[in-house]
Amino acid sequence: MWLKPEEILLKNAFKLWVTEKDNEYFVLQRRRGYGEGGGGLTGLLVGTLDTVLDSTSKVAPYRILHHTPDSQVYWSVACGVTREEIFQHWEWLQQNIMRTLSVFDSSEDITSFVQGKIRGLIAEEGKTSLVLEDDPEKFREALLRFEKWFELPPEEKLVTYYSCSYWKGKVPCQGWLYLSTNFLCFYSYLLGSEVKLVISWDEIWRLEKTSNVILTESIHVLAHGEDHYFSMLLHLNETFCIMEQLADYSIKRLFDKEAFEREPALSDPLQITKRGLEAHAKSQQFRTFFRLPKEENLLEVHEGFFQDGSQCHVVIPMREVVNVEKPDSGSRALTVFVRGKKALRFSEVRDYQRLANTIRSRCGISASPQHSASPEAIRGECQSLINHFEDNPEDVTLMVGQKDSSKAVSTEALMTVFHPQDVENLDPKMLKEKMKEQSWDIHFSEYGRGTSMFFTRKTRDLIVRGVPESLRGELWMLFSGAVNDMATHPGYYTELVEQSLGTSTLATDEIERDLHRSLPEHPAFQSDTGISALRRVLTAYAYRNPKIGYCQAMNILTSVLLLYAKEEEAFWLLVAVCERMLPDYFNRRIIGALVDQAVFEDLIRENLPQLVEHMTDLSFFSSVSLSWFLTLFISVLPIESAVNVVDCFFFDGIKSILQLGLAVLDYNMEALISCSDDAEAVTILNKFFDSVTNRDSPLPPTVQQALVGNNSKASHVGVDISELIREAYEKYGSIRSEEVESSRKRNKLYVIQTLEDTTKQNVIRVVSQDVRFNITQLDELYNLFKRQHFLSCYWTMKSPALLHHDPSLAYLEQYQLGFQQFSELFSLLEPWAFCTYKSSLSLWVFRLIDENQDGLINFKEFCCALDTLYSGSFTNKLKFLFKLHLPPAFTGSPLHSENQRILHYVPVPEDSSHLTRLSAFDLPEDGVIKKSPERGRGRIDLQAYLKQWQNEILKKEETIKDLPRINQTQFIQLSKTFYNIFHGDPEEESLYRAVAHVTSLLLRMEEVGRRLQEPSSPSESEKAAGTPPAEDSSTEQGAVTPVSCDSSHNSQDAGSELSDTEWSFSFEQVLASLLNEPTIVDFFDRPLNVQTKLGQARVAQLKLKANKGKDSKGN
């Protein structure tokens, strides 16, 4: 059958396949172990593996690959089970494809044509096929097995499943791979041996396709330091794509807090489907390739031909379409008319009638070819518009996106104002500039101008040669897609300027500080005109996107944009760069730049092996190249050379920056190899950048060299930027954008997990100074704590815990637990099993250790509490339990109303309890605590921060004398807590009697003390002195019976009968009394096995969540 063309890995693959036929563009191969000869030992091994596998996992024994003579890339186009089937496909290719390929000029055009034809064949076969892709009955059976085997919470959504082999060591285990919203699961049961694997997507470090001698292709997953390999997948590329999408979805949702509001298919984690993920991937690829806004989604794809010859692409906004015509029904062609008297003809369009109707409906065009309105109708509409504008003159300016109140917004590029071109100047550089303009005019006349211009190889050639100064702003807007953003948001920028100017935020403070550091030698930024425009653009963007706000390097980039684009255009260019072309670059952790540095390292290993042999540690290039990526080489190159790099970036994206980086290292290869240390290598590169010139630049000397200053000390021979860019495209132009995007996804997982691991190490280093847990135990505790945080985020988009996570916060504050999360985890880890996650004791512990009273527990607070219970002295453990029954932990409410109190404390499910108890911080509209200054909007209460830090510095260690006295109600509850702690212990009876004895003793002491302080008759004193023995016996008898938190209030009633007057005890009294009971002292001094508890918690953590979900679902 024909296959969707997909690139395959051929490293070591030829050992498993035998070539039977081949020609210049196709190869027919047979898998060893099939057909004649069997293939010897290798064929026997391959045949055995294929035979024992499940039928759905077998690899087809015949296949056809497409390739071109000058390319190392192979594409699978067909496979077959029998020799006859595959030979029929081969003959069809010989008769229908081979003759046509000779007319193409390049390998890329040939490959594109072949892929288009194969996809067309698949589409035709799909129309006549009655086989459903997804069998509902089979999926339902798989879902039942999934729920039975893995015991995950009932909310977990199974997306898809595949039959495959999992390699446990060197032994393959045939089983089933289940991919759900939050987990990768595998199950195998063979000959009594069960293999079960559950990995959450947010724990994966590596996800990649790989190959080796035994496995032609497999999927490699790295998680928890362990490697997992899955092979023998019938649809490996499809499986990998779904896995990649799920991992990316998890990262964006849990770490980046993306809500997918514009994509309904992904907005609810309980409704994720395979089809929705595939549609999301296609839309993402579609937007990236055509540089479209995030609001755009791919709806339909129609195969067809546009024109013979070179490969090209074009973007036609619906707002530009004026008509659609069908010349004749026999040709299956469409002609699309756009503004500017241009017409585009598409031929051999499958389902052309439907396409024509879709375009008409979206553009509001009549179905009739003669659709133009009558002159009378046009005249009537014009007259109504004239009447409207006469009555509302202010709307005239709105039509062009300008308002009277924003006249300060610059409408000219700064280069036009500060360096107008002299038309009469005929020096060689200006003549060269005129020649460039003429070349572009020819290109415009041939391929169009504006939003409907064709992008061809000639376009790239002109870009490499350098864009004329007069066209730079226009082409940047077109290539980046910013022209569409601005056209669909008229007046948006001026509104932002009005709303943002005058605001005071951390972002505006940083912007003001950096304004005069942006191209300071350029005349445009030595005047208020340039500085004001820069301020408005940066402030407006910080207001638009507070998640990014403002980051250093944005000022340098925006300065260059303002030189060649109008102010509003510069704003939309900045939007395109920050939100589409360089995603995640401009935030606190610059994840996007780190990802591209990892991509750059991979390309260095692949393309510059000589350099890798000499410098095995490529982290040096990562540190050096950071400014290259963040500023697009603007910070290291002279301004007149840097703009040529920006030209290439807007046309080819990050691919052009990677190519140029490779060319720079290649140019300095010998010098870098001979250098002795990193400092010398940095000096070599800096001198090289100082020597780069732009011989064709028409800019005056006052503008040139603005960033590097004096260039006389450069030891390098001058290098022209156009030659350097041309060399980069010639040597490394084979790097495909698809490969870069794939490498980005692969490396993003590793970069984020590396940053998370760094955060963990920093937190552990800080916490280890205050607790007695060892590093291994702290590591496991952190993993449990972080996992508990994410468990509340897996099955909802609006989890308060997810909103609390902010990577810009201090390390200790990045992951925090609300009450529900804390109570579940604490019930698994506390040593005596006296707290269940539903008990009021959990609430009291939560209140006690929540030192800043914000309704959230950080890792340090959590560890300190556990450390006291596990490793603290008897006095410290008792002090913890004593304070547990004092305010603010214990409020003195009746125990029977514990549910009401918990609900009162937690008014919103999960973690919104803190919203009712905040005093130090103002609450924003979304109800999320802001513990760090916002990067975009909002004011900052710095005084509150300073006060908090001062209190922490001045906080002295608490002594036992500082503790308040415990009253009657609190003491009775303390006694009950002791009963709960001792319940189930082998010495339970002795411990109960010891508690009863201590209680009786304290009560007698308090009674005697109270009577000594009150005037009374001797007879009353004697009577009082004679009563204690009876009370002792009564109290002991009643106290031996264990009383839990949920039992009756016998002890409380008994205590009330002792005296009508309130009594209280100090901590010293309670401590002294308990120290006289060796049984109790031995119990609390007994060593506790932390490691065993951690292991049990690791196993039970997910099950507790699953059981809780089943209970709530059952209710």
Side-chain angles (χ1 to χ4, degrees):
M1 64 177 180
W2 299 109
L3 299 175
K4 178 183 175 182
E6 290 182 336
E7 184 180 346
I8 64 171
L9 300 174
L10 286 184
K11 181 182 178 182
N12 301 318
F14 284 113
K15 297 178 181 180
L16 303 179
W17 294 87
V18 179
T19 300
E20 295 216 337
K21 285 179 176 266
D22 65 345
N23 56 39
E24 190 176 3
Y25 299 111
F26 297 98
V27 178
L28 189 154
Q29 294 182 332
R30 170 178 52 83
R31 191 167 172 83
R32 291 186 185 273
Y34 294 89
E36 300 175 1
L41 181 60
T42 305
L44 180 63
L45 175 62
V46 175
T48 303
L49 283 173
D50 290 347
T51 302
V52 300
L53 294 179
D54 184 273
S55 60
T56 58
S57 295
K58 290 183 179 180
V59 178
Y62 298 95
R63 69 180 183 182
I64 298 176
L65 306 179
H66 162 68
H67 74 106
T68 53
D70 56 348
S71 173
Q72 301 295 321
V73 179
Y74 283 74
W75 300 82
S76 60
V77 295
C79 69
V81 178
T82 64
R83 188 181 183 89
E84 292 74 18
E85 178 187 3
I86 202 68
F87 268 75
Q88 286 180 2
H89 289 335
W90 180 265
E91 291 299 324
W92 189 92
L93 291 172
Q94 293 288 331
Q95 297 175 8
N96 297 278
I97 299 294
M98 289 299 295
R99 298 175 184 176
T100 311
L101 297 183
S102 59
V103 304
F104 292 99
D105 299 329
S106 69
S107 299
E108 291 183 11
D109 292 335
I110 292 173
T111 300
S112 178
F113 175 78
V114 170
Q115 291 177 351
K117 293 296 289 185
I118 299 299
R119 289 195 186 99
L121 290 170
I122 295 173
E124 288 294 326
E125 289 179 351
K127 291 179 181 179
T128 58
S129 175
L130 298 178
V131 179
L132 294 176
E133 181 182 356
D134 297 323
D135 189 329
E137 188 60 31
K138 285 188 176 180
F139 189 87
R140 186 168 120 4
E141 293 175 3
L143 179 60
L144 293 174
R145 293 196 301 267
F146 173 73
E147 293 174 347
K148 173 186 174 183
W149 288 338
F150 303 106
E151 299 180 323
L152 295 173
E155 299 90 351
E156 184 64 15
K157 176 72 168 61
L158 177 64
V159 176
T160 187
Y161 63 99
Y162 299 95
S163 176
C164 71
S165 290
Y166 169 66
W167 289 79
K168 191 175 181 181
K170 296 183 179 180
V171 180
C173 302
Q174 179 63 30
W176 293 92
L177 177 68
Y178 295 87
L179 306 180
S180 65
T181 306
N182 299 294
F183 298 96
L184 179 156
C185 306
F186 176 84
Y187 184 86
S188 173
Y189 186 84
L190 186 63
L191 301 178
S193 177
E194 183 182 58
V195 178
K196 187 185 294 186
L197 184 69
V198 178
I199 303 172
S200 58
W201 295 112
D202 57 89
E203 297 171 338
I204 292 179
W205 284 63
R206 288 281 189 193
L207 179 62
E208 57 191 353
K209 288 189 290 186
T210 184
S211 64
N212 54 43
V213 175
I214 298 178
L215 307 176
T216 309
E217 282 188 294
S218 62
I219 296 176
H220 171 221
V221 177
L222 173 62
H224 300 298
E226 298 181 2
D227 293 299
H228 307 277
Y229 292 91
F230 302 92
S231 66
M232 297 301 172
L233 287 147
L234 183 61
H235 305 289
L236 185 137
N237 289 312
E238 175 192 297
T239 308
F240 179 75
C241 181
I242 295 295
M243 293 172 72
E244 198 174 49
Q245 284 291 309
L246 285 169
D248 186 60
Y249 175 69
S250 179
I251 291 295
K252 288 182 177 179
R253 189 165 67 90
L254 300 177
F255 292 97
D256 299 341
K257 296 193 295 186
E258 189 170 329
F260 300 94
E261 294 175 353
R262 297 189 182 97
E263 298 184 64
L266 301 183
S267 60
D268 185 359
L270 303 182
Q271 302 298 328
I272 299 298
T273 63
K274 175 185 172 184
R275 186 171 300 174
L277 288 169
E278 290 173 341
H280 170 70
K282 290 178 181 178
S283 292
Q284 197 173 32
Q285 186 179 11
F286 163 71
R287 287 191 297 266
T288 301
F289 182 81
F290 291 105
R291 308 280 170 77
L292 298 177
K294 290 183 177 180
E295 296 81 5
E296 296 293 330
N297 285 310
L298 180 62
L299 299 179
E300 297 180 11
V301 177
H302 295 264
E303 293 283 346
F305 293 92
F306 178 67
Q307 64 177 176
D308 296 330
S310 62
Q311 187 179 7
C312 67
H313 72 270
V314 62
V315 177
I316 308 173
M318 289 294 187
R319 64 180 183 275
E320 297 290 324
V321 178
V322 296
N323 192 17
V324 180
E325 290 185 358
K326 297 177 291 182
D328 56 82
S329 58
S331 64
R332 296 197 298 182
L334 283 179
T335 302
V336 179
F337 296 89
V338 298
R339 300 183 192 277
K341 298 181 180 180
K342 289 193 298 184
L344 296 85
R345 181 184 172 90
F346 299 90
S347 59
E348 296 300 319
V349 180
R350 289 183 171 81
D351 207 355
Y352 67 99
Q353 183 67 53
R354 179 182 173 185
L355 176 59
N357 294 334
T358 301
I359 296 176
R360 288 197 185 102
S361 63
R362 292 191 171 275
C363 298
I365 302 172
S366 170
S368 172
Q370 305 297 328
H371 66 285
S372 57
S374 64
E376 292 78 9
I378 296 175
R379 197 176 300 113
E381 290 180 5
C382 292
Q383 187 60 45
S384 64
L385 283 173
I386 293 171
N387 294 336
H388 172 78
F389 288 125
E390 286 178 351
D391 297 334
N392 304 277
E394 67 277 4
D395 287 357
V396 177
T397 53
L398 287 175
M399 292 292 290
V400 293
Q402 297 292 333
K403 292 187 177 182
D404 294 338
S405 59
S406 58
K407 291 180 180 178
V409 174
S410 175
T411 58
E412 292 292 337
L414 295 180
M415 194 64 78
T416 306
V417 177
F418 289 89
H419 179 54
Q421 290 191 8
D422 186 359
V423 181
E424 298 180 357
N425 187 353
L426 298 179
D427 64 19
K429 289 186 177 180
M430 287 304 300
L431 290 176
K432 191 73 173 287
E433 190 76 1
K434 294 296 181 184
M435 292 174 61
K436 288 182 181 179
E437 292 177 0
Q438 291 176 2
S439 298
W440 277 99
D441 288 339
I442 295 172
H443 184 276
F444 292 148
S445 63
E446 186 175 355
Y447 297 107
R449 184 170 185 172
T451 53
S452 301
M453 186 183 82
F454 293 97
F455 295 74
T456 67
R457 283 199 190 85
K458 293 181 180 179
T459 314
R460 178 179 281 113
D461 293 340
L462 291 174
I463 292 291
V464 172
R465 288 167 52 189
V467 175
E469 298 281 319
S470 59
L471 296 176
R472 189 158 270 138
E474 175 188 344
L475 293 177
W476 285 358
M477 289 289 290
L478 179 62
F479 296 153
S480 66
V483 63
N484 293 314
D485 288 320
M486 192 170 77
T488 53
H489 296 83
Y492 177 78
Y493 173 67
T494 54
E495 292 177 5
L496 275 185
V497 170
E498 292 172 358
Q499 295 170 8
S500 61
L501 285 182
T503 58
S504 176
T505 66
L506 180 63
T508 56
D509 293 342
E510 293 177 348
I511 289 170
E512 290 296 328
R513 185 174 63 246
D514 289 345
L515 283 177
H516 296 279
R517 303 176 185 174
S518 310
L519 304 188
E521 283 83 15
H522 197 287
F525 298 100
Q526 295 172 357
S527 69
D528 185 63
T529 302
I531 294 296
S532 298
L534 181 60
R535 177 187 293 111
R536 287 191 294 269
V537 172
L538 292 175
T539 305
Y541 185 78
Y543 191 84
R544 163 191 165 87
N545 191 346
K547 185 178 178 181
I548 293 178
Y550 169 77
C551 290
Q552 287 187 344
M554 288 174 66
N555 61 319
I556 297 175
L557 176 61
T558 308
S559 301
V560 175
L561 298 178
L562 283 168
L563 289 178
Y564 294 97
K566 299 174 183 178
E567 187 175 321
E568 184 176 5
E569 293 175 342
F571 169 80
W572 287 113
L573 285 169
L574 184 63
V575 170
V577 172
C578 295
E579 299 177 11
R580 292 200 300 271
M581 302 186 72
L582 296 179
D584 297 325
Y585 259 61
F586 301 99
N587 53 40
R588 183 175 179 270
R589 301 201 294 178
I590 56 173
I591 290 175
L594 296 176
V595 169
D596 283 342
Q597 283 181 316
V599 175
F600 188 50
E601 287 185 18
D602 291 343
L603 292 173
I604 291 174
R605 292 188 186 92
E606 183 179 343
N607 295 279
L608 301 174
Q610 188 177 356
L611 188 61
V612 174
E613 290 176 5
H614 178 74
M615 304 181 72
T616 54
D617 184 10
L618 299 183
S619 60
F620 162 75
F621 296 111
S622 295
S623 58
V624 170
S625 63
L626 181 61
S627 62
W628 304 358
F629 293 106
L630 283 174
T631 66
L632 309 179
F633 284 92
I634 296 172
S635 62
V636 295
L637 286 175
I639 185 62
E640 73 277 6
S641 300
V643 291
N644 285 38
V645 178
V646 179
D647 296 339
C648 298
F649 168 75
F650 279 123
F651 186 80
D652 272 325
I654 194 63
K655 170 178 173 281
S656 62
I657 304 299
L658 295 168
Q659 290 175 181
L660 184 61
L662 292 174
V664 168
L665 297 181
D666 189 18
Y667 193 93
N668 295 277
M669 177 81 74
E670 294 182 3
L672 290 173
I673 290 177
S674 62
C675 66
S676 56
D677 54 31
D678 291 352
E680 186 178 351
V682 170
T683 302
I684 290 171
L685 291 175
N686 286 340
K687 288 182 178 180
F688 170 77
F689 287 128
D690 289 348
S691 69
V692 176
T693 61
N694 189 347
R695 302 190 186 106
D696 299 333
S697 174
L699 299 180
T702 56
V703 174
Q704 294 190 27
Q705 308 293 334
L707 289 180
V708 297
N710 187 9
N711 197 31
S712 60
K713 57 184 179 182
S715 60
H716 284 74
V717 178
V719 180
D720 185 67
I721 186 64
S722 297
E723 295 178 1
L724 185 63
I725 291 174
R726 186 180 299 109
E727 184 177 346
Y729 272 90
E730 289 176 354
K731 287 188 175 182
Y732 309 108
S734 59
I735 298 173
R736 296 186 299 130
S737 298
E738 293 81 2
E739 294 174 354
V740 173
E741 289 300 321
S742 177
S743 183
R744 271 179 161 181
K745 290 180 181 179
R746 182 175 66 253
N747 284 288
K748 184 176 181 179
L749 291 173
Y750 185 79
V751 167
I752 286 182
Q753 296 294 0
T754 301
L755 291 173
E756 289 292 309
D757 190 63
T758 301
T759 297
K760 178 173 72 173
Q761 299 306 323
N762 287 326
V763 170
I764 291 175
R765 187 181 68 251
V766 172
V767 175
S768 63
Q769 301 173 8
D770 298 322
V771 298
R772 278 151 288 199
F773 294 124
N774 59 42
I775 298 299
T776 303
Q777 292 167 347
L778 283 174
D779 187 276
E780 292 193 38
L781 275 172
Y782 185 91
N783 291 336
L784 288 168
F785 191 87
K786 178 181 174 183
R787 193 184 194 193
Q788 187 69 26
H789 170 90
F790 279 141
L791 279 175
S792 64
C793 310
Y794 281 161
W795 300 283
T796 177
M797 273 293 184
K798 297 182 179 179
S799 164
L802 184 58
L803 298 176
H804 296 328
H805 174 55
D806 185 355
S808 66
L809 294 176
Y811 289 125
L812 283 172
E813 308 297 329
Q814 285 191 22
Y815 294 106
Q816 302 177 88
L817 303 182
F819 169 65
Q820 295 292 346
Q821 300 166 278
F822 165 81
S823 62
E824 292 173 12
L825 184 59
F826 189 75
S827 67
L828 295 174
L829 291 172
E830 55 93 0
W832 304 308
F834 71 102
C835 281
T836 63
Y837 72 88
K838 292 182 179 180
S839 72
S840 56
L841 276 171
S842 296
L843 178 62
W844 300 343
V845 174
F846 182 82
R847 288 172 176 168
L848 176 62
I849 65 179
D850 182 16
E851 295 181 359
N852 58 359
Q853 301 296 301
D854 65 348
L856 295 170
I857 300 299
N858 64 34
F859 183 66
K860 183 177 180 181
E861 293 169 336
F862 185 79
C863 286
C864 289
L866 284 179
D867 181 65
T868 300
L869 298 180
Y870 276 97
S871 306
S873 63
F874 175 77
T875 302
N876 286 335
K877 291 178 181 178
L878 183 60
K879 183 166 55 170
F880 183 89
L881 295 173
F882 188 86
K883 291 171 65 177
L884 196 61
H885 299 81
L886 295 172
F890 179 73
T891 59
S893 304
L895 291 179
H896 67 273
S897 62
E898 67 176 53
N899 290 334
Q900 287 98 336
R901 285 188 290 107
I902 291 175
L903 290 176
H904 174 72
Y905 185 73
V906 190
V908 181
E910 290 296 327
D911 299 289
S912 300
S913 58
H914 57 284
L915 302 184
T916 63
R917 309 176 58 228
L918 293 176
S919 58
F921 303 98
D922 294 330
L923 286 178
E925 294 178 0
D926 58 2
V928 181
I929 300 173
K930 301 298 184 184
K931 295 187 132 185
S932 67
E934 282 195 57
R935 307 181 65 82
R937 311 178 193 178
R939 295 181 177 275
I940 309 144
D941 188 2
L942 296 178
Q943 294 298 325
Y945 286 88
L946 293 174
K947 186 177 180 180
Q948 180 183 351
W949 294 335
Q950 183 181 19
N951 292 338
E952 291 178 359
I953 293 173
L954 298 178
K955 184 169 62 178
K956 62 180 181 179
E957 186 175 354
E958 184 181 54
T959 64
I960 59 176
K961 294 182 179 180
D962 298 326
L963 294 174
R965 296 174 69 86
I966 191 169
N967 63 29
Q968 176 180 333
T969 304
Q970 295 162 351
F971 179 73
I972 293 173
Q973 187 57 50
L974 175 62
S975 301
K976 293 184 178 183
T977 300
F978 280 128
Y979 291 140
N980 284 340
I981 290 175
F982 301 148
H983 180 66
D985 189 84
E987 301 291 331
E988 180 179 1
E989 186 75 16
S990 300
L991 290 167
Y992 282 165
R993 291 186 177 276
V995 172
H997 184 265
V998 169
T999 303
S1000 175
L1001 179 62
L1002 287 171
L1003 289 174
R1004 289 202 303 271
M1005 290 171 57
E1006 178 62 22
E1007 183 69 17
V1008 171
R1010 185 175 62 80
R1011 291 183 180 276
L1012 289 175
Q1013 293 178 2
E1014 295 178 359
S1016 59
S1017 62
S1019 61
E1020 291 176 350
S1021 300
E1022 291 175 3
K1023 184 178 179 181
T1027 54
E1031 289 182 13
D1032 185 15
S1033 175
S1034 170
T1035 308
E1036 282 191 30
Q1037 187 176 0
V1040 169
T1041 303
V1043 184
S1044 66
C1045 290
D1046 301 321
S1047 66
S1048 63
H1049 310 117
N1050 295 335
S1051 296
Q1052 187 173 352
D1053 296 338
S1056 300
E1057 294 173 0
L1058 290 173
S1059 175
D1060 295 333
T1061 307
E1062 279 289 332
W1063 40 260
S1064 63
F1065 304 118
S1066 66
F1067 178 74
E1068 293 96 322
Q1069 289 175 305
V1070 177
L1071 175 62
S1073 301
L1074 289 174
L1075 284 173
N1076 289 324
E1077 298 294 335
T1079 310
I1080 295 178
V1081 175
D1082 291 342
F1083 176 85
F1084 283 108
D1085 285 342
R1086 188 186 304 163
L1088 299 168
N1089 193 330
V1090 183
Q1091 203 62 44
T1092 301
K1093 202 71 174 180
L1094 289 171
Q1096 293 171 350
R1098 193 166 52 248
V1099 175
Q1101 189 177 28
L1102 191 57
K1103 289 185 178 179
L1104 178 63
K1105 193 75 177 178
N1107 294 334
K1108 183 182 175 185
K1110 290 175 182 177
D1111 292 342
S1112 61
K1113 191 174 182 180
N1115 295 333

